[in-house]
Amino acid sequence: MAATPNTAAGNPNFEGNPPAAPPPPGTDMTGICFRDQLWLNTYPLDRNLVFDYFALSPFYDWSCNNEQLRTRSIHPLDISHLSKMKGTEYILSEVMEPHLFVFRMQKRDSPEKVTAMLTYYVMDGSIYQAPQLCNVFAARVGRALYHISKAFTTAASKLEKIGYVDSDSESAAIESKVGKETIDLKEIKRIDLILASLQRKLPPAPPPPPFPEGYAPPPTAEGENGSEALPATESQVPSVDPIIDQGPPKRMKI
């Protein structure tokens, strides 16, 4: 394996400084990316040297098993040696030279048992941390809810106020700002067409259920008025006060 110079800050061979403490596994570093243009101009980016380039980034954990293999002059991606070790390691899962390299950080407990932790990818020389699946779902759901809420707000504003408010001139608005609401006939026709199309798509209303046996439906207001109107006209007789309206008084004859 060709040796490459360490040009990034935090490398133990750079000015004799120890490497900075790497972030613990699971730390969200999706907001940053790493790119060393000097290294890219000096060395080719292929499957043999891409790990040396990845080790310059802040995503690299210096306590991993791959670093132990590097100190022993063994290729850090040699799976025959990594499978015999325990701890954190990086493997190259997907390669599309020279544009895309995908690294998977995992914890090895045995030659057969590994637990995936994080994923990193090198795209055209820039190194990124891939977001976790739960964060992707949360971002997509939040974006969808935002657009749905915005659509409902726009629809509500259209339905609540059809037309526009024509204000008076600025001088008259100082005295009294009275808006003149006008109805837009085009909007009314458009809403009527929408409602009519929705009504055609809906199934017809089911018939009302029958009344149970022995149940007499209450008479409606029209039936009551019709049935009461007839006897009222027949039995309506002008009322006579028996005390007042008795005609002229009769005098007793002597």
Side-chain angles (χ1 to χ4, degrees):
M1 181 183 65
T4 58
N6 298 318
T7 57
N11 197 300
N13 298 326
F14 184 71
E15 295 182 358
N17 296 326
T27 302
D28 186 8
M29 300 178 68
T30 55
I32 64 175
C33 71
F34 174 84
R35 184 180 181 90
D36 191 340
Q37 192 62 42
L38 179 62
W39 193 99
L40 295 173
N41 294 336
T42 308
Y43 302 95
L45 192 62
D46 55 15
R47 65 176 63 238
N48 295 322
L49 298 179
V50 67
F51 190 86
D52 295 336
Y53 180 62
F54 178 76
L56 303 177
S57 68
F59 308 108
Y60 184 65
D61 187 357
W62 290 90
S63 62
C64 63
N65 297 335
N66 308 83
E67 185 63 25
Q68 298 181 22
L69 296 181
R70 294 179 70 188
T71 58
R72 291 156 52 186
S73 299
I74 302 175
H75 196 282
L77 298 177
D78 191 348
I79 193 62
S80 61
H81 290 80
L82 289 175
S83 60
K84 300 176 183 178
M85 306 173 70
K86 293 183 179 181
T88 305
E89 65 183 21
Y90 296 91
I91 64 169
L92 190 61
S93 58
E94 296 183 19
V95 177
M96 293 178 60
E97 292 183 347
H99 302 289
L100 179 64
F101 303 87
V102 180
F103 285 96
R104 185 170 69 243
M105 181 181 182
Q106 59 187 15
K107 182 180 180 182
R108 184 176 293 276
D109 299 323
S110 65
E112 295 81 13
K113 184 179 180 181
V114 292
T115 304
M117 301 173 64
L118 292 172
T119 303
Y120 305 91
Y121 58 95
V122 184
M123 180 178 292
D124 294 331
S126 299
I127 306 177
Y128 306 88
Q129 177 183 343
Q132 297 183 359
L133 190 59
C134 59
N135 296 334
V136 175
F137 282 156
R140 296 294 177 85
V141 171
R143 182 179 299 178
L145 291 178
Y146 167 76
H147 289 294
I148 291 174
S149 176
K150 187 176 180 180
F152 273 108
T153 303
T154 305
S157 63
K158 289 286 185 179
L159 293 176
E160 288 178 358
K161 185 177 181 181
I162 301 174
Y164 66 94
V165 176
D166 186 13
S167 59
D168 297 332
S169 58
E170 295 182 358
S171 59
I174 298 176
E175 299 176 358
S176 61
K177 295 182 179 180
V178 180
K180 298 179 181 179
E181 183 177 358
T182 60
I183 299 177
D184 193 350
L185 297 180
K186 293 182 179 179
E187 291 290 337
I188 295 178
K189 291 181 180 180
R190 187 174 65 86
I191 293 177
D192 290 342
L193 291 176
I194 294 174
L195 295 177
S197 62
L198 292 176
Q199 187 176 5
R200 286 193 300 268
K201 293 179 181 180
L202 294 176
F211 293 106
E213 297 182 359
Y215 175 78
T220 60
E222 296 179 357
E224 292 179 355
N225 296 336
S227 59
E228 292 178 357
L230 182 59
T233 54
E234 293 178 354
S235 61
Q236 186 175 4
V237 180
S239 60
V240 178
D241 194 334
I243 299 177
I244 299 177
D245 298 335
Q246 291 185 357
K250 296 181 179 181
R251 297 182 180 180
M252 294 179 64
K253 294 181 180 182
I254 302 174

